[in-house]
Amino acid sequence: MIGLLRGGMELLFAPLDHLPEGLALAIVSVITGVFALLVVRATTDQRALAVARDQLASAVLEIRLYLDSPRRVWKAQGRVAVWTARYVARAAPALLVMIVPFTLVFMHMYVRHEVAPLPVGEDVVVRIETTSEDLRVTSARDLELTAPVFHSPGVGWYARVRPRTAGEHDLSIEIAGQVVVKRLHVGEGRLTSPERRSGLAALWALSSEGPVPGIVRGIFVEHPPARRSWLGMPWWLGWVLASTAAAWLLRKPLKVVI
Amino acid sequence: MTERVSSHILGTFEGRIGEPGDPPPEPRAVLERIAERLERRTRTHLDHRFEPHGRSTIVVGEAFVGVLHTWPEYERFTLDVTRSGPGPDVEGALRATADELGWRPVRLHPSPHARVAALALAAGGVALLASTPATAVAYVGPGAGIALLTGFATLFFSMLLGLLSLLLYPLRLVHRRLTKKRAPQPARIKRAVVIGLDGLDPELAQRFMDEGKLPTLAKLAREGMFRPLATTTPAMSPVAWSSFATGVHPSKHGIYDFLTRDRHTYMPDLSSTDIGPPARVLKLGAWALPLSKPRIKLLRRSTPFWKILGEHRIPSAILRVPITFPPDHFDGIMLSAMCVPDLQGSQGTFTYCSCDAADGEAVGGEHVRLVAEEDRRLGSLPGPEHPLKKGERLRLPFVLERDGDAWAIRLNGASPVALPLAEYTEWVEIAYPLGWGLKLRGICRLRLLEGGDRPRLYVSPVNIDPARPVMPISQPFVFSIFLAKLIGKFATLGLAEDTWALNEGVLDEEAFLQQAWANHAEREAMFFEMLDRTDEGVITCVFDGTDRIQHMFMRYLDDGHPAAAAAPNHAKYGAVIEDTYVRMDAMLAKALEQVDADDPEQLFVVLSDHGFKTFRRGVNVNSWLMEQGYLVLKEGATASGEWFADVDWPRTRAFGIGLAGLFLNVRGREAQGCVEPEDAAGLAAEIAAGLTGLVDTDLDAVAVSRAWAKAELFTGPYADESPDVVVGYAPGWRASWRGVRGVVDDVVFDDNTKAWSGDHCIDPAHVPGVLFANRALGEGRDELSITDLAPTLLDLFGIPAPRWMDGSSLAPSAAGEAAS
């Protein structure tokens, strides 16, 4: 199911991959903001949420009205705390429902905005987590092994390869007699090379290459970090702020109490 | 209640107590019915008991607890059901019963099993995330953003505000010490709770107390005091409550009636508030953009007691005391009441929508003709003048949409609001578009009077929205917003009970009562919230439902009333006034739960501004003036038409405006005056003498007990603004409806056949108010006056009454009190 979700997400994200990064992020923010509103509307008792919000506002205003009475200020403060807790409790169903889709969105955005594509002509580190003591990496026409494979006992193996050309290249790794392939996406664009995992963890990995044999825990490609920011902010902060702002602005047209 | 038992709540249901039109049954009967049905469904004997506790509680066996809240004024109840232990399938039984009885599920909570499953699912999701560290930190989307913004950011902001207020408290304390005076004498009380019940009549109160129906008031009378309270001349709420606030007679506060006259146009004008456009505007084509604030000025003069208390570091919470719009600036909290206008700037203009053009205009209301279009009816809600465009009136288009037998209204494209037949909606937000994205906002309630193919709809006057006030209705400005957030939206219109709609037959008695009690419930809620917050100083709240209900239902207490014969359902409405007194008594009992009446530091006072009498016959003083030659019509005219249309002003020497006042047409004062100023006093005395003892020739009975020339009554600094003659009608008579509307003809006396059948605008000697207190006040005094309240409160807080006050303290002297 998660594989389906992942595939669906990739389909949804595909049109955005052709847009400038800032615009793509803005569009995702608005969509997630609207989605959040719809989830809140569908999963929460809107009337109860409105009551909690109004009571919160009244408690804050009470502080303003009774500035000369420390006792009342304290009492109002207590009401703020109580109603904040109630607000969060009443919004909790929406927060719980949103965890899964938003985590998926986050992961798909992560590979697009957090890391840069693998560069041509520069070394790339591939980490193979396995308990096997027998591992060999084979150079290919477009992937040159630039250093001997390094073994860190208890952690895994590290291979340093240098892509010669842009495109999709398969790195062939032989582990205890079994050959496992890891596909590397090289060159400009936003394509990255997500990890391959085995077992249940493979369900959660973003890779579309399928799980690896059980002897391997995972194969990871270390991408260089993206040097971009969005209006001077990390992309994820921009996403949070923009999607929150979108939800805030659209709450009335969509008739949602948040 | 729902909040306290969150873990096992099954649901909340709403239902009708009885059939439409039935008298509401006792809560116990509702509970019995529920219990009986549940027993039948669960086939178990459910032992139950009742615990009346303001609202009623039913405890059914060991299986669940149902808390029933009855709202007789809406003929509805809500039932919160909580499982309290193992037992029969009460969930299923309850839901089946609800279906059977047509209860509307307000909230249905999942069963405990479903809840456990949901929690397990959520926990599983969280665990899955936690098992993949890279994604566990990923949940930072708008959900978290919204929660942070609305919840935690508010918490943070309030903590900051609270901290700041505590840090600044010493500075504020020093500032208060430096800028405010200390009471010259030690205060004898810590808190005064003053409850105004507008129009509560001493004779009726005594009668109901004697019958044992008002136990709280009887207890106050027995253990404290109860005396009639002399009202003002004239005996009207704006006048009397102004005297209550200021401790002075009318000629020192300048309020003599609801209305006064415009000296230039001879038209009636509101006596308490001057509202006008901004002084400076920028004209851009059709637009007139304001460059200054509109003119809103309270015309009541003198200094109210709460201002003097504030100057002496004693806080006050003043709720809904009449003639406080716009609110005073003082060291305290205030919500304005009587004379707060609706959005149209009037004292309450309802809208009546029907498909019939012949329905025409109703007094106090506007008629909107609905245009039929298949299953829709189109109309537009009239609003005020466009504040930015001269000569243009705002209108809000609406559509009535039909779905089977049900109707809903869609205001300017907004979400539809269901219109249940013969029920009020909740407060509905109205937003008149002004252009440029600006809107003029207000609130109203709607009531579908008739469904079917030709729906009829009542729209209440559009009130100023307390949560977004377009005019200042509270002090400080945020106070009304605070109240609206705390208790929900509420009526802000000064005269919120739509007496005109009942008078004109647009609303029936039931609809009027529902509206009156809904308004009262809002006022009660705000009063108790503020009572809880007022530990020291004064809290005053005036409840005016008592006045409106007595105005409209007195015909049921007076068999010989001209309107009694046509009044519907005497069995049902005959006890409305009694029921009103009983409800007020219950409210006072609730208030006394929060006030220790035996504590000498707590003053608990209940007062009214005047009493009530039946209003059977109208006296058109303008017609009498014409008959006596003081008022002259234009050549050839036999009647004037409304608002003195055909009055020959240059030859008219006197005219009546308002409910008790006559004005002379004085040269140099009125625009077309003909009475020389030096002749005015003599003419006033002559007219007063002519009116005193005026006999209703149809009944051969005295209709006017007494009339006063202004010199006999008014000697204060604003006496020049008073009516020149004040008429004191005998009980049973009052200014006629036609006379009040400026109609002059040959009919001086007529029957009052309107629902507005009780009144107090008569000789003040016949309509004193009441004064109850938890301690002896005014001992040794022959007469207690409403002007005595302000000096009494000041005295008890250690502040001698200013010398300009006409009233004097009713409290025993401090020395005498100490000695006793």
Side-chain angles (χ1 to χ4, degrees):
Chain A
M1 193 181 80
I2 290 182
L4 274 176
L5 278 174
R6 237 169 27 209
M9 280 283 180
E10 275 304 307
L11 270 178
L12 290 174
F13 273 95
L16 300 176
D17 288 339
H18 304 290
L19 298 175
E21 188 183 354
L23 180 62
L25 193 62
I27 291 172
V28 173
S29 299
V30 172
I31 292 170
T32 48
V34 170
F35 177 73
L37 287 177
L38 298 179
V39 170
V40 169
R41 188 165 68 184
T43 60
T44 60
D45 180 342
Q46 288 279 280
R47 209 166 168 169
L49 211 56
V51 168
R53 207 187 57 179
D54 283 350
Q55 291 299 325
L56 257 177
S58 77
V60 173
L61 288 171
E62 189 171 359
I63 296 173
R64 152 75 185 82
L65 286 171
Y66 289 95
L67 285 174
D68 288 328
S69 169
R71 206 165 79 87
R72 280 248 63 90
V73 168
W74 277 119
K75 281 196 168 181
Q77 198 73 65
R79 284 184 59 222
V80 171
V82 167
W83 282 104
T84 300
R86 286 183 179 172
Y87 176 83
V88 172
R90 288 168 188 187
L95 301 181
L96 287 174
V97 167
M98 282 190 282
I99 283 178
V100 173
F102 280 2
T103 303
L104 276 171
V105 170
F106 178 86
M107 290 162 64
H108 286 261
M109 290 174 75
Y110 180 90
V111 298
R112 284 166 169 78
H113 301 285
E114 182 74 15
V115 294
L118 297 176
V120 176
E122 287 183 27
D123 284 2
V124 175
V125 174
V126 178
R127 179 161 53 89
I128 305 113
E129 284 187 7
T130 174
T131 51
S132 172
E133 299 289 315
D134 176 17
L135 184 143
R136 275 191 303 160
V137 177
T138 313
S139 275
R141 190 168 58 85
D142 295 313
L143 282 177
E144 178 193 356
L145 194 64
T146 58
V149 178
F150 171 73
H151 181 219
S152 173
V155 177
W157 299 76
Y158 293 86
R160 224 161 67 192
V161 296
R162 181 179 297 163
R164 290 203 180 102
T165 58
E168 292 184 350
H169 308 306
D170 287 346
L171 182 67
S172 185
I173 305 160
E174 189 181 329
I175 308 165
Q178 292 187 60
V179 176
V180 181
V181 172
K182 174 74 192 102
R183 179 161 293 168
L184 275 61
H185 300 276
V186 180
E188 286 306 309
R190 274 190 228 121
L191 286 174
T192 56
S193 310
E195 72 272 22
R196 288 190 72 183
R197 288 177 179 269
S198 62
L200 275 177
L203 293 172
W204 200 247
L206 273 173
S207 172
S208 55
E209 296 169 90
V212 289
I215 193 169
V216 185
R217 276 212 302 277
I219 305 173
F220 307 89
V221 180
E222 305 290 337
H223 280 252
R227 295 195 180 279
R228 293 179 288 262
S229 67
W230 198 65
L231 301 175
M233 289 177 283
W235 69 271
W236 59 269
L237 185 57
W239 176 50
V240 172
L241 294 181
S243 53
T244 303
W248 198 255
L249 291 172
L250 293 171
R251 73 192 194 285
K252 281 190 179 166
L254 291 174
K255 300 180 177 63
V256 183
V257 176
I258 54 173
Chain B
M1 191 59 76
T2 306
E3 306 304 329
R4 279 181 228 142
V5 286
S6 57
S7 59
H8 299 293
I9 292 175
L10 304 177
T12 301
F13 300 87
E14 185 186 85
R16 184 175 272 284
I17 291 173
E19 294 305 312
D22 282 356
E26 287 296 307
R28 189 181 175 103
V30 180
L31 299 174
E32 290 279 14
R33 193 187 308 176
I34 293 165
E36 182 217 326
R37 281 184 186 262
L38 286 178
E39 283 185 357
R40 213 170 55 221
R41 280 267 170 192
T42 57
R43 291 179 186 157
T44 315
H45 174 68
L46 298 170
D47 188 25
H48 55 271
R49 62 193 164 86
F50 301 93
E51 290 181 0
H53 190 68
R55 296 162 179 181
S56 304
T57 304
I58 180 175
V59 181
V60 183
E62 297 297 314
F64 75 92
V65 177
V67 180
L68 181 88
H69 312 276
T70 50
W71 311 97
E73 57 271 36
Y74 298 124
E75 291 182 344
R76 304 198 81 76
F77 68 85
T78 53
L79 180 67
D80 289 342
V81 183
T82 309
R83 173 175 270 286
S84 59
D89 177 22
V90 285
E91 289 98 321
L94 191 70
R95 284 166 203 231
T97 307
D99 284 347
E100 209 176 299
L101 296 178
W103 300 348
R104 190 172 70 87
V106 178
R107 266 193 316 276
L108 286 179
H109 296 271
S111 69
H113 303 299
R115 186 168 294 195
V116 169
L119 283 174
L121 195 66
V126 172
L128 183 64
L129 289 175
S131 68
T132 54
T135 54
V137 293
Y139 180 59
V140 287
I146 290 164
L148 187 80
L149 198 70
T150 311
F152 296 111
T154 310
L155 182 64
F156 176 74
F157 173 71
S158 74
M159 285 175 72
L160 199 68
L161 191 64
L163 195 66
L164 204 66
S165 76
L166 292 175
L167 286 174
L168 290 176
Y169 178 68
L171 290 178
R172 292 180 67 87
L173 201 65
V174 171
H175 180 257
R176 279 170 67 83
R177 300 248 166 206
L178 293 176
T179 56
K180 313 275 179 201
K181 290 175 265 185
R182 196 174 160 185
Q185 293 151 18
R188 285 187 272 165
I189 55 171
K190 191 178 170 197
R191 178 170 71 165
V193 180
V194 182
I195 298 175
L197 300 176
D198 198 308
L200 201 80
D201 183 71
E203 286 177 20
L204 286 175
Q206 186 65 60
R207 179 173 133 192
F208 297 140
M209 280 194 294
D210 292 345
E211 291 169 4
K213 289 168 182 159
L214 308 178
T216 313
L217 283 174
K219 185 165 185 269
L220 275 175
R222 199 170 51 246
E223 295 174 10
M225 59 90 65
F226 164 45
R227 297 267 299 270
L229 188 67
T231 184
T232 48
T233 306
M236 292 183 211
S237 292
V239 190
W241 286 115
S242 295
S243 288
F244 159 77
T246 57
V248 300
H249 291 313
S251 59
K252 288 185 183 170
H253 60 59
I255 305 293
Y256 298 98
D257 198 319
F258 285 93
L259 301 171
T260 185
R261 87 301 193 197
D262 185 316
R263 293 178 183 187
H264 303 287
T265 62
Y266 297 91
M267 293 292 280
D269 212 353
L270 197 60
S271 67
S272 60
T273 311
D274 177 24
I275 302 178
R280 289 181 298 133
V281 292
L282 175 66
K283 288 191 176 167
L284 290 174
W287 295 83
L289 307 179
L291 298 176
S292 60
K293 287 183 181 175
R295 189 181 70 245
I296 307 175
K297 191 180 168 196
L298 177 63
L299 297 178
R300 186 208 66 222
R301 278 65 154 243
S302 197
T303 309
F305 69 81
W306 46 81
K307 204 162 184 172
I308 299 171
L309 288 173
E311 286 163 2
H312 291 83
R313 306 177 198 162
I314 296 161
S316 305
I318 308 298
L319 304 174
R320 296 195 52 81
V321 173
I323 316 301
T324 49
F325 172 76
D328 296 301
H329 289 288
F330 73 108
D331 194 8
I333 281 168
M334 170 179 277
L335 180 71
S336 301
M338 183 182 281
C339 288
V340 172
D342 61 11
L343 222 54
Q344 293 209 29
S346 76
Q347 290 301 301
T349 304
F350 66 84
T351 306
Y352 170 58
C353 311
S354 74
C355 298
D356 194 348
D359 279 348
E361 298 298 318
V363 177
E366 297 201 53
H367 178 240
V368 170
R369 192 188 167 197
L370 298 170
V371 178
E373 198 180 79
E374 295 177 353
D375 271 352
R376 308 191 320 157
R377 303 289 180 272
L378 312 181
S380 66
L381 192 63
E385 290 275 318
H386 198 305
L388 306 177
K389 277 185 180 175
K390 202 162 184 177
E392 188 175 305
R393 192 168 183 199
L394 295 172
R395 299 195 87 89
L396 189 71
F398 67 80
V399 181
L400 292 180
E401 297 173 340
R402 187 177 191 173
D403 182 10
D405 289 337
W407 285 93
I409 188 168
R410 195 183 283 275
L411 287 152
N412 205 21
S415 298
V417 175
L419 295 170
L421 184 63
E423 283 182 37
Y424 286 102
T425 61
E426 297 286 310
W427 286 107
V428 174
E429 291 187 15
I430 298 287
Y432 292 100
L434 300 178
W436 298 354
L438 299 173
K439 286 176 178 169
L440 187 64
R441 294 175 187 279
I443 53 171
C444 67
R445 285 188 200 268
L446 303 101
R447 183 181 179 96
L448 187 66
L449 303 169
E450 188 179 331
D453 290 333
R454 301 180 71 76
R456 295 187 302 118
L457 180 70
Y458 162 82
V459 184
S460 76
V462 181
N463 285 226
I464 293 170
D465 184 348
R468 282 193 276 202
V470 293
M471 279 190 243
I473 56 168
S474 68
Q475 150 71 24
F477 187 77
V478 296
F479 179 55
S480 72
I481 306 171
F482 160 73
L483 279 178
K485 299 288 180 191
L486 188 66
I487 64 166
K489 291 190 192 283
F490 54 85
T492 54
L493 178 63
L495 301 165
E497 294 78 12
D498 206 339
T499 50
W500 278 114
L502 176 56
N503 240 5
E504 296 297 307
V506 172
L507 291 182
D508 60 18
E509 281 72 7
E510 193 58 40
F512 174 82
L513 278 178
Q514 284 180 14
Q515 185 186 55
W517 287 118
N519 291 341
H520 178 80
E522 293 167 355
R523 291 161 195 167
E524 206 175 307
M526 71 176 72
F527 167 66
F528 282 107
E529 289 289 353
M530 293 312 296
L531 180 60
D532 186 44
R533 286 166 171 78
T534 308
D535 303 323
E536 55 185 344
V538 176
I539 174 165
T540 300
C541 186
V542 174
F543 297 89
D544 34 18
T546 37
D547 177 84
R548 310 301 181 268
I549 288 173
Q550 290 185 96
H551 272 303
M552 307 313 286
F553 287 85
M554 193 57 85
R555 59 205 149 120
Y556 289 96
L557 285 191
D558 178 9
D559 290 339
H561 197 285
N569 207 342
H570 277 257
K572 183 173 181 182
Y573 300 119
V576 164
I577 290 179
E578 180 185 309
D579 180 49
T580 303
Y581 277 62
V582 170
R583 286 189 192 213
M584 292 305 113
D585 192 79
M587 180 187 75
L588 296 173
K590 195 172 155 193
L592 280 169
E593 286 173 12
Q594 292 187 42
V595 181
D596 181 1
D598 297 327
D599 181 352
E601 290 197 322
Q602 306 278 327
L603 175 69
F604 189 84
V605 167
V606 180
L607 82 151
S608 65
D609 54 334
H610 52 70
F612 254 89
K613 285 287 178 283
T614 184
F615 165 28
R616 291 180 173 188
R617 298 273 292 167
V619 182
N620 188 341
V621 284
N622 283 312
S623 295
W624 180 83
L625 287 170
M626 184 177 77
E627 197 178 270
Q628 302 298 314
Y630 298 112
L631 189 150
V632 181
L633 297 183
K634 288 175 184 165
E635 283 298 325
T638 53
S640 71
E642 285 197 349
W643 306 122
F644 307 109
D646 280 331
V647 168
D648 187 346
W649 289 112
R651 293 197 295 146
T652 289
R653 289 185 290 159
F655 57 101
I657 291 261
L659 292 162
L662 303 185
F663 293 89
L664 302 182
N665 196 15
V666 178
R667 192 185 301 281
R669 191 180 76 176
E670 270 71 21
Q672 300 177 62
C674 61
V675 176
E676 297 304 329
E678 58 272 22
D679 298 336
L683 181 59
E686 177 187 316
I687 293 174
L691 278 168
T692 298
L694 180 69
V695 172
D696 181 342
T697 45
D698 297 341
L699 300 182
D700 196 22
V702 173
V704 176
S705 309
R706 195 176 168 192
W708 296 266
K710 71 189 286 182
E712 295 176 73
L713 294 174
F714 305 127
T715 53
Y718 304 106
D720 58 317
E721 296 171 10
S722 74
D724 294 294
V725 176
V726 175
V727 185
Y729 297 98
W733 281 264
R734 201 209 69 177
S736 75
W737 294 110
R738 291 161 64 76
V740 171
R741 291 174 66 77
V743 175
V744 190
D745 54 20
D746 58 358
V747 180
V748 177
F749 301 100
D750 60 2
D751 276 341
N752 171 33
T753 54
K754 290 194 180 288
W756 183 294
S757 51
D759 218 296
H760 46 81
C761 301
I762 63 173
D763 183 344
H766 299 296
V767 279
V770 298
L771 181 66
F772 290 85
N774 66 333
R775 59 170 65 195
L777 292 176
E779 283 188 322
R781 292 263 300 265
D782 290 338
E783 187 181 80
L784 315 184
S785 163
I786 196 162
T787 54
D788 296 330
L789 267 295
T792 305
L793 289 168
L794 292 175
D795 181 27
L796 288 171
F797 279 103
I799 305 164
R803 274 187 293 178
W804 72 74
M805 284 192 176
D806 296 311
S808 55
S809 176
L810 301 175
S813 70
E817 206 170 49
S820 69

